[in-house]
Amino acid sequence: MSERRSSESGFPIKGVYTGADLPEDLDSRLGDPGEFPYTRGVYPTMYTSRPWTMRQYAGFGTATESNARYHQLLRAGTMGLSVAFDLPTQMGYDSDEPIAHGEVGKVGVAIDSIEDMRLLFADIPLDKVSTSMTINAPGSVLLLLYQLVAEENGVPGAALNGTIQNDILKEYIARGTYIFPPKPSLRLVADTFAYCRKEVPKWNTISISGYHMAEAGATPAQEIAFTLANGVEYVRAALAAGLAVDDFAPRLSFFFVARTTLLEEVAKFRAARRIWARLMRDDFGAKDPKSMMLRFHTQTAGVQLTAQQPEVNLVRVAVQGLGAVLGGTQSLHTNSFDEAIALPTEKAARLALRTQQVLAYETDLTATVDPFAGSYVVEAMTAEIEAAAVELMERVADHGSAVDAIEAGFQKREIEQSAYRIAQEIDSGERVVVGLNRFTVDEEEPYEPLRVDPAIEAAQAERLARLRAERDADAVARALADLRAAADGTENVLYPMKEALRARATVGEVCGTLREVWGLYRPTDRF
């Protein structure tokens, strides 16, 4: 029997729930599926007409190796690609820069130029797949490379469908792959909104992420509170740049975690939709229903996977995926069971996808919309999480804005306190982790992880040297000068950035040009 008596968010879980625990205004809190406040889902039919988009996060080593993995996943039935980039790419450095040494191709694919992007998506029909790219500070750079490759293959921007994470504020809170200070970073986000509205209209311009905050230790209430507070900041930045709310808000999307605490996770997703719908309608005057819909991608909780008895992670991932589906996610990535050890093997990645396919095609989850609606426990938990998240958002607002709260260290401090509490509970045995602090085995079975060839770094450096020798250096210099002028002024920087990338400027050169104008962010900076 479980020993859990309180939720991850800190409110007590009762042994029995009754009708007395339901909010008195439940009907107005619920609405119908596809209608305000979208508690029951953003679409009227949800999965009864089509399942969620099944994504698998992949990318390692070279673009060619990652391309092969994408083709394997597509053959296995995945419906969308999710691209992982290596750390130098995430930080806007080329593979041959000294700071990149030892990290090239390690946690994702190395992309230095349009040539790498061509290899990454070779023979993949970009007008038929949905591509999500987990990239933040240089998100606009990678999007433009993707668009350029699509155009080379006869696919116009209007036909492209996908998402860039592009969520820089959570980097200052929980993850750390920032480049520029927050103000120019927010400008770059707003420029991306404006560019995509004209040039890539079906693209989701941002995936406002709570996942990484959850991985850092945030509770469910903290996850949605700080994520939605960041969302408010992005909306304000876009409005300040002269965009109308209904011109950009329908392309906003979100990214959350799914933990093993299934009931609370379902409640979290439902509460998040309700809060966002009210914010967009009441605070920002949105009229378009799509502006009020909180559409989100979910990834199962990597932080809850264990290197001990890794096969048990298959069970964890199945439970987490179930919570995401019952919570109404629009797309889902299920982690591979071996990710606590190393990059997933091909077999492990395929098993993770098969987990989603079992949920979609062998269960009755897709037969009806929001099956937990009216549940005593889920509706009570939804109200509890909603109240806790709104209170936290008010504390963020008391600082002036999400950026001001970041500067004061508020979100980071709150998350660190939660992470410390969780660690203490695991260490004491109060929080059971199967295979780690209970139900352990004396001897683990041998496991051979996927390893990245260290020769990749040298190969990428050779490719860069060849690129620089073959390209028109004067054309690159002129294009980077145009980018520098735009960054120093008020012009949308994505247009000259695209021309620089077309001229075969590298990711590091483009980001380096912006660094020269906007500077680097350091946590001790005031802004």
Side-chain angles (χ1 to χ4, degrees):
M1 179 177 174
S2 171
E3 298 175 7
R4 189 178 300 278
R5 290 292 180 267
S6 63
S7 73
E8 297 285 296
S9 297
F11 55 82
I13 298 177
K14 298 171 65 172
V16 176
Y17 285 81
T18 69
D21 295 298
L22 296 174
E24 292 182 2
D25 56 345
L26 180 61
D27 287 345
S28 64
R29 287 176 183 246
L30 278 178
D32 290 326
E35 293 185 9
F36 187 91
Y38 305 103
T39 307
R40 301 199 62 193
V42 292
Y43 303 123
T45 57
M46 290 302 288
Y47 312 134
T48 62
S49 56
R50 62 182 293 271
W52 59 94
T53 299
M54 299 179 196
R55 298 189 183 278
Q56 285 308 109
Y57 188 49
F60 60 94
T62 67
T64 300
E65 289 176 297
S66 294
N67 175 263
R69 175 64 63 84
Y70 296 155
H71 281 284
Q72 291 163 357
L73 289 170
L74 290 169
R75 286 193 298 271
T78 192
M79 298 148 63
L81 301 175
S82 292
V83 185
F85 297 94
D86 72 355
L87 194 56
T89 305
Q90 293 180 47
M91 299 296 291
Y93 292 109
D94 290 332
S95 297
D96 61 353
E97 295 190 50
I99 197 171
H101 179 62
E103 292 293 339
V104 176
K106 285 290 179 66
V107 298
V109 62
I111 298 295
D112 291 317
S113 72
I114 190 171
E115 294 189 354
D116 289 328
M117 193 63 96
R118 287 172 185 146
L119 292 172
L120 185 64
F121 290 102
D123 300 319
I124 291 176
L126 299 186
D127 55 343
K128 293 182 172 61
V129 300
S130 171
T131 301
S132 175
M133 292 187 276
T134 304
I135 193 75
N136 293 284
S140 55
V141 182
L142 276 299
L143 169 62
L144 292 171
L145 287 173
Y146 187 84
Q147 184 189 7
L148 284 166
V149 169
E151 289 174 349
E152 290 176 350
N153 288 279
V155 179
L160 295 178
N161 199 315
T163 304
I164 45 171
Q165 194 161 100
N166 200 29
D167 174 12
I168 196 61
L169 292 181
K170 65 96 174 45
E171 298 296 326
Y172 305 112
I173 296 171
R175 193 160 176 268
T177 61
Y178 43 69
I179 300 175
F180 318 112
K183 286 183 178 178
S185 293
L186 285 172
R187 174 196 166 178
L188 190 53
V189 169
D191 280 358
T192 305
F193 289 173
Y195 177 86
C196 286
R197 179 172 176 261
K198 291 181 179 179
E199 310 295 342
V200 198
K202 292 195 291 185
W203 198 265
N204 296 313
T205 50
I206 194 168
S207 179
I208 306 163
S209 176
Y211 181 88
H212 305 93
M213 290 186 266
E215 293 282 282
T219 67
Q222 289 173 337
E223 179 192 356
I224 63 170
F226 297 152
T227 303
L228 299 187
N230 285 349
V232 167
E233 194 76 4
Y234 293 126
V235 172
R236 288 175 176 162
L239 294 173
L243 300 175
V245 65
D246 287 325
D247 285 343
F248 67 87
R251 303 316 306 172
L252 301 179
S253 65
F254 292 79
F255 175 25
F256 295 116
V257 77
R259 301 169 180 82
T260 52
T261 45
L262 185 147
L263 296 177
E264 187 176 5
E265 291 298 284
V266 172
K268 176 192 77 178
F269 295 131
R270 301 169 90 251
R273 277 195 295 270
R274 198 150 73 202
I275 296 169
W276 186 250
R278 284 202 313 267
L279 277 170
M280 295 306 294
R281 186 192 69 176
D282 300 343
D283 291 14
F284 293 109
K287 305 296 184 190
D288 186 344
K290 292 180 179 178
S291 297
M292 307 173 207
M293 295 178 184
L294 184 139
R295 297 170 303 112
F296 61 92
H297 169 69
T298 307
Q299 181 174 338
T300 55
V303 74
Q304 291 188 321
L305 303 186
T306 62
Q308 297 83 1
Q309 301 181 47
E311 292 83 359
V312 177
N313 294 329
L314 287 164
V315 182
R316 293 188 177 103
V317 169
V319 172
Q320 294 163 357
L322 178 61
V325 172
L326 288 169
T329 191
Q330 275 58 71
S331 70
L332 176 62
H333 163 78
T334 36
N335 288 328
S336 301
F337 75 89
D338 53 358
E339 287 186 34
I341 303 170
L343 289 167
T345 61
E346 180 184 345
K347 181 179 180 180
R350 186 171 60 248
L351 279 170
L353 176 61
R354 294 289 182 254
T355 302
Q356 294 201 51
Q357 291 165 335
V358 168
L359 292 176
Y361 300 111
E362 292 192 19
T363 75
D364 54 4
L365 288 173
T366 60
T368 189
V369 176
D370 189 27
F372 272 159
S375 158
Y376 296 152
V377 61
V378 169
E379 297 298 357
M381 283 188 169
T382 301
E384 292 262 23
I385 294 176
E386 180 182 8
V390 167
E391 190 270 335
L392 274 170
M393 292 178 74
E394 289 171 351
R395 291 174 66 191
V396 170
D398 287 343
H399 287 83
S401 69
V403 170
D404 294 322
I406 289 168
E407 181 184 27
F410 172 68
Q411 298 98 319
K412 193 170 187 293
R413 190 164 53 248
E414 291 289 309
I415 291 170
E416 286 172 348
Q417 290 172 358
S418 297
Y420 181 63
R421 173 177 57 82
I422 291 168
Q424 285 184 310
E425 291 173 358
I426 292 172
D427 289 345
S428 69
E430 179 184 351
R431 178 183 293 258
V432 175
V433 181
V434 173
L436 179 66
N437 62 6
R438 196 182 295 187
F439 312 114
T440 58
V441 293
D442 294 331
E443 193 172 317
E444 294 282 349
E445 295 179 10
Y447 172 80
E448 185 60 36
L450 179 71
R451 302 191 186 279
V452 174
D453 187 348
I456 286 170
E457 186 172 329
Q460 282 296 112
E462 289 175 13
R463 285 173 53 78
L464 279 164
R466 189 163 58 249
L467 170 80
R468 294 187 181 111
E470 294 173 352
R471 70 188 183 182
D472 185 337
D474 291 337
V476 172
R478 287 193 300 270
L480 290 175
D482 290 342
L483 174 61
R484 185 179 293 105
D488 203 27
T490 58
E491 179 188 347
N492 189 315
V493 297
L494 269 74
Y495 289 94
M497 186 187 293
K498 184 180 181 184
E499 294 311 308
L501 294 167
R502 192 197 306 275
R504 298 203 289 175
T506 68
V507 171
E509 289 165 344
V510 167
C511 292
T513 299
L514 296 179
R515 282 187 189 95
E516 293 171 11
V517 181
W518 293 341
L520 281 168
Y521 173 71
R522 295 175 179 81
T524 55
D525 289 348
R526 307 294 291 181
F527 48 88

